[in-house]
């Protein structure tokens, strides 16, 4: 085990050896194994956006085995997906890629101003599928947030007791926030803090903008002159909001069909700001496999070298 | 066991031998046993539409034993019904026909724009009645969908743990959808994907039309030129949406008292598009037994031969 | 055991010997024991309408012991009541009359267009009180119906597991129905079907009128020329809706203080139509005991002889 | 044991020896021990009205030990209070006064037209504190009543199984009733009947007025000429509504700071009408202890002698 | 053990030795150990207000270890925080500072007139983290209060059974109260009474103003001439409302960045009025550590000497 991984595991002093073992598996896997950085392949878009919108651009991706292979071939740290996708491939090459089972999901067939998600799998499902972690989405700012936090609390307690790690997708959203507020720097930092206080080991957020949503927060950002002008600044602030960097925060890679150079530039900013890695869904599996592997390789290359 | 059944069972690598045994019983039963195709007799209309609307056209069908006999004589793969109907016949010829216990049902006495179903039986009921599977209806698009998904999740986890297969009726419906949207090709593909991601072994949907309901989906169908003009095209696309055909998708046979030739032509289209079979309720038990057996025979004949 | 009781028990092939034993106790008790007919004394009006409205006309009926004695002296098949009434008398003459514990009840102090009932006792209460069955009311047509069905499902599963029979009061009611619709022939048949599909052994409904509530049903009654003109016709149809007569359906005896001759004429119609008996509450305990015993005797006399 | 207590215990034939033992403790305690009459000290006003409104008039009453002592010194049958008050004194003189733990309470900080109460303690709390009974408030007439009844059902089943008695405060209240209706004679009788049917051993109600709230009831009170003119008449009727007097009904003693003579006159009326006793809260602990003991003594004196 | 601590433990006669042990640990720790006074460091602002608003003024405070160290170095009695913050430091110096795990929290991303909190940790989390107590917030006056009280009831029962103490943050808030009413003397006294009746060992409230919110209470404060003019008067009254001072009541130290002299003057008033201590969050961790230690030292000095 590298000193960096040892150091990072030391941040989780409340966890049992089972959970630490699974965190270590995740941190030691793939091309970034041992560096403390993570690139995760998430494929929940079939549920979240529908199959055609997710896979028609690259039809082999309709097949659940495709994503296991992509994550393995791409040198990813882990593969995260809903129940059905993991059930459909977990037996084929057991242990070849750390798995994260998403325990809740939503679709686009109803349109709620205060979104919520359905529980779609449970901790015991993650155990029987050989996963290293469970994943859970919360929507801070939705009127359903208290219920989601309580669900996460119960899942997190059970997962930790049973030796699994907990990955939280923290997406501010709902009638309490403006559209710009969903990626505002104060809200993003808040979202990371909430997930960390709820006991997440790893937190996934969107890249923040320089917008500040909450008036009470704006005063503080001004008064304390918190640097948020550049993307690395903002990544650094978000990481600080995660217990002064003692929780692992990873970032999503922008919209699909994004310009590749722009995406890699974002990754460089995440790395420069001290982010722990990227989660790349649509920008990997929605393109032909060769191009996806190239993209994953380029992203991993950035994280594999010390930040500039 | 035929190679095709062996292949199909291999798609369910996450299931225990108990569940695979029951899936195999279903795939090996009746005139289509071993072909990988299924024709299932479902009789939940007494609950869903009322007894007179369901059985008055063929009064012997008021008797629960009638449907067991029809499914056996007709060479069906399985018989699916609510609790009362299975309780009233399961002891008579145990094991003669694989049984699927519907665990939720609705009636037409209330009229909700966002429909829901009541839990009317449980997994242990299915075990004590000797069933091979449980059945569950979800309404993607209803405001009750998250609750229904969560119910299915719990039932599915318990059923798989106890060695049963899970059959999901996925019927898009609710205030989030137009009437035409309920059978739109994009929505139908989405409904199949949701059921598969929720862990269904077998998914039942309605035959889709060429209508596209969701604007964001329409762009993709256009951009990727997904073929949806003919019924076989659409069946093929829906099957693809079920994990590239690695989940069993069966289709319902249109409205009751449908023209027989038209119905058989639909079955030919399902077969041509790679569908796994039909579920025939009103078009079988609402006609005299001789005519019903003839119809079931004709449908089975189509599936028994290689698709053209 | 009479051949008729043996035949009727054969309809319940899914039940364990414990439940069949209790069904047999009910079918073999009282003056109608062995005939396959039932006359049950139900006294839940104290809860449902209030004590003065229920008992002031015959003050000895305020005393819970009165009803045990009335049911025994009247030669009834069983006595059905809420928790308090059974607790207050069950130890006095244990086993002298089969008991049915009502598990839910409502009162008239709130006035809801969509009625519901409170759970007021549980299956284990029925066991400790020596009951042969639990009773449960559902309101098909109420917006609370799905919740009530789910409650019945859970109670029914537990009761059957613990060797008790399940009696369902199926009363269509709620904003989904007109006042006339509550006793419409189509709705009444539907109510019986729902209760049977939910697993009821015995179903209690109101006598239906010739009114047809649902447009979709009206077409079928017309097209199939279902005979519903006379009361025996309608009883026969309702019994047919209960699994072609393979579930026990009993009927309530109209409004209180009804003309006795009219009431006995209704009973003759129930008998003629193949109904399995009557449930007589207000028309028995709201009159002096001598007159009540006379009425019960007359009703039982009708059922004791073959139907004309 | 006196013959009267033996007779009263015989009314509870469904209860186990544990519960009868605790009922006997209650009936045999204090100056009224053995008479079949009860005077209970209830102190939930700290929760229900706030501490200053409850205790400022007699500041020693802020101390939880005060009420234990008052109940003991006053010769009361029992002391009833919420969790905190019992926890704060139950160890001091264990067994010196039978305790009743209130399991639900409400406060005046929110103002709901349909009131409800919070669960504030559980049956196991009553066991660990050495109580003889649990207390529970229901609001018949509130839209929350079905939920409250169901809570009481579960609590009552557990309490009886664990050998405790059940005391129900039945207070009609809510949007289904006028203000006058809350103490109407028909509603009060109904409230007592509901509590008895729900399985209460002891029922506490307010003294009824001659007002009749429900039109359907008014007809019956008129037709049957039920005597309700005098307070003893009304008490007699309410007791009759409690299973013809086979459930213990006690009455609360009017508003606080009531004229003493008027209060004692009410007690005489309760006694004359066959009521089983009084529950005296504000009229005891809100005055100096000497005056409170005098008042309790006077009330007990009335009940200690045969009713006139 | 000092006589004062022995006396205070005697107030909790219903608790088991495990809970008394943990209460004793709390009362015997830090510079105030043995005096019966408490100064607690609470850090839930990261969750409740967001990380930047909480920690940017003193960036080392982003690190969860900072607060453990501050509480230890400051000589505090205990440190209270949500799950994440305790998980991130509890293993480092186990047992060096008594820990209180907050079990519910809210954020400012939604704005409800009737606030509520999410369950964010459970009693077993407190056990595995080595805590002496659980903390729970209630909002008397919110329409969610009944649900919160019921949650606290369940948590409190479990915590006491498992040997933990229960600390309740009782914050009147919601549509039932005006803004001034949240700190009104009558409401504050009521809030303390409710928490005590719900079984709290230690109660935290805000310092009350002389405002009286409830009309019915105002009459009593007037009639009984309850002294509420000075802050010590009001503290004395609030302590009296906590079972005549037999429950531990501590007070929060006003707004952040408060004038230090004013804050110390408030502490002197709390001490003079017989309050049991202070809970100091923002006024300690939002300033540089040296200044925070000075402030904590000054506050502790006040409580360490007999009140004037």
């Amino acid at each position: 085990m590298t000193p960096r991984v040892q150091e990072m595991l030391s941040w989780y002093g409340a966890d049992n050896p089972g959970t630490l073992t699974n965190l270590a598996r995740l941190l030691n896997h793939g091309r970034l194994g041992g560096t403390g950085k993570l690139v995760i392949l998430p494929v929940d878009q079939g549920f979240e956006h529908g199959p055609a919108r997710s896979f028609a651009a690259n039809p082999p991706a309709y097949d659940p085995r495709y994503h296991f292979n992509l994550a393995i071939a791409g040198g990813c740290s882990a593969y995260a997906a809903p129940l059905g996708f993991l059930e459909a491939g977990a037996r084929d090459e057991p242990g070849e890629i750390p798995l994260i089972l998403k325990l809740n999901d939503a679709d686009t067939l109803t349109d709620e101003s205060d979104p919520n998600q359905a529980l779609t799998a449970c901790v015991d499902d993650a155990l029987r599928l050989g996963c290293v972690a469970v994943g859970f989405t919360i929507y801070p700012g939705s009127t359903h947030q208290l219920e989601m936090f309580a669900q996460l609390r119960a899942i997190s307690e059970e997962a930790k007791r049973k030796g699994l790690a907990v990955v939280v997708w923290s997406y501010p959203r709902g009638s309490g926030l403006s559209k710009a507020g969903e990626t505002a720097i104060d809200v993003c930092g808040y979202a990371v803090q909430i997930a960390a206080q709820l006991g997440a080991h790893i937190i996934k957020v969107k890249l923040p903008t320089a917008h500040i949503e909450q008036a009470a927060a704006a005063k503080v950002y001004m008064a304390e002159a918190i640097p948020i002008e550049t993307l690395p600044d903002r990544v650094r602030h978000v990481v600080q909001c995660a217990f002064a960097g003692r929780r692992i925060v990873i970032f999503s890679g922008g919209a699909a069909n994004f310009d590749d150079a722009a995406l890699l530039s974002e990754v460089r900013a995440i790395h420069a700001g001290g982010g722990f890695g990227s989660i790349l869904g649509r920008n990997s599996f929605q393109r032909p496999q060769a191009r996806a592997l190239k993209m994953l390789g380029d992203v991993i290359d950035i994280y594999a070298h010390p930040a500039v």
Side-chain angles (χ1 to χ4, degrees), chain A:
Chain A
M1 190 175 302
T2 65
R4 177 59 178 162
V5 170
Q6 267 181 320
E7 182 196 2
M8 289 169 70
L9 293 180
S10 79
W11 302 339
Y12 301 94
D15 284 298
N16 62 27
T19 296
L20 291 183
T21 300
N22 276 319
L23 268 176
R25 280 178 184 136
L26 212 141
L27 290 166
N28 287 328
H29 193 86
R31 279 190 52 215
L32 289 170
T35 63
K37 299 289 177 175
L38 296 166
V39 168
I40 294 177
L41 174 69
V43 190
D44 55 3
Q45 285 81 358
F47 202 121
E48 304 263 339
H49 298 162
R53 285 177 62 197
S54 302
F55 308 128
N58 178 35
Y62 280 107
D63 190 326
R65 295 172 297 180
Y66 179 83
H67 306 284
F68 286 84
N69 295 338
L70 179 62
I72 295 168
C76 291
S77 310
Y79 166 48
L83 182 71
F85 254 25
L86 290 197
E87 284 189 329
R91 182 181 294 267
D92 291 348
E93 298 181 75
E96 287 303 292
I97 180 83
L99 299 176
I100 300 167
L101 177 61
K102 277 292 305 288
L103 299 193
N104 64 349
D105 290 285
D107 61 59
T108 61
L109 292 171
T110 57
D111 184 24
E112 310 277 358
S113 60
D114 282 286
N116 198 354
Q117 294 220 335
L119 295 176
T120 55
C122 67
V123 172
D124 283 345
D125 287 322
L127 292 174
R128 71 178 170 88
L129 293 170
C131 301
V132 300
V134 294
F136 196 86
T137 297
I138 55 175
Y139 294 136
S142 168
T143 54
H144 299 292
Q145 68 171 11
L146 298 189
E147 178 193 348
M148 298 184 98
F149 296 172
Q151 288 172 336
L152 173 53
R153 182 213 71 69
I155 281 167
S156 180
E157 192 275 335
E158 184 185 354
K160 289 173 185 175
R161 191 161 27 85
K162 294 182 173 171
L164 295 175
V166 176
V167 184
V168 173
W169 275 243
S170 193
Y171 288 168
R173 204 171 289 184
S175 58
L177 296 171
S178 73
K179 191 71 198 167
E182 296 180 0
T183 50
I185 179 63
D186 60 323
V187 171
C188 193
Y190 205 159
V192 156
Q193 170 78 12
I194 286 172
Q197 293 287 16
L198 285 165
H201 297 104
I202 299 174
I203 301 156
K204 191 265 171 182
V205 281
K206 296 195 174 166
L207 276 171
T209 65
H211 173 64
I212 298 177
E213 175 80 356
Q214 300 197 293
K219 281 188 220 158
V220 173
Y221 280 83
M222 207 80 75
E224 306 295 342
I226 302 174
I228 56 168
E229 264 175 57
T230 70
L231 196 46
D233 282 344
R234 297 194 292 269
V235 166
R236 196 171 295 114
H237 177 64
V238 168
V239 168
Q240 187 182 38
C241 289
F243 294 2
R246 295 173 70 82
R247 288 294 174 265
I248 298 168
V249 185
I250 57 181
F251 296 83
S252 53
N257 303 319
F258 203 86
D259 173 66
D260 282 15
L263 191 146
L264 291 174
S265 151
E266 276 189 0
V267 168
R268 269 181 222 106
I270 296 167
H271 195 33
F276 290 79
S278 288
I279 194 157
L280 260 93
R282 284 175 286 175
N283 283 304
S284 54
F285 67 79
Q286 287 188 352
R287 51 180 77 191
Q289 183 161 14
R291 282 186 51 212
L293 291 175
K294 172 80 172 68
M295 165 60 78
L296 284 168
D298 290 348
V299 169
I300 288 172
D301 282 345
I302 293 170
Y303 285 117
H305 292 89
V308 198

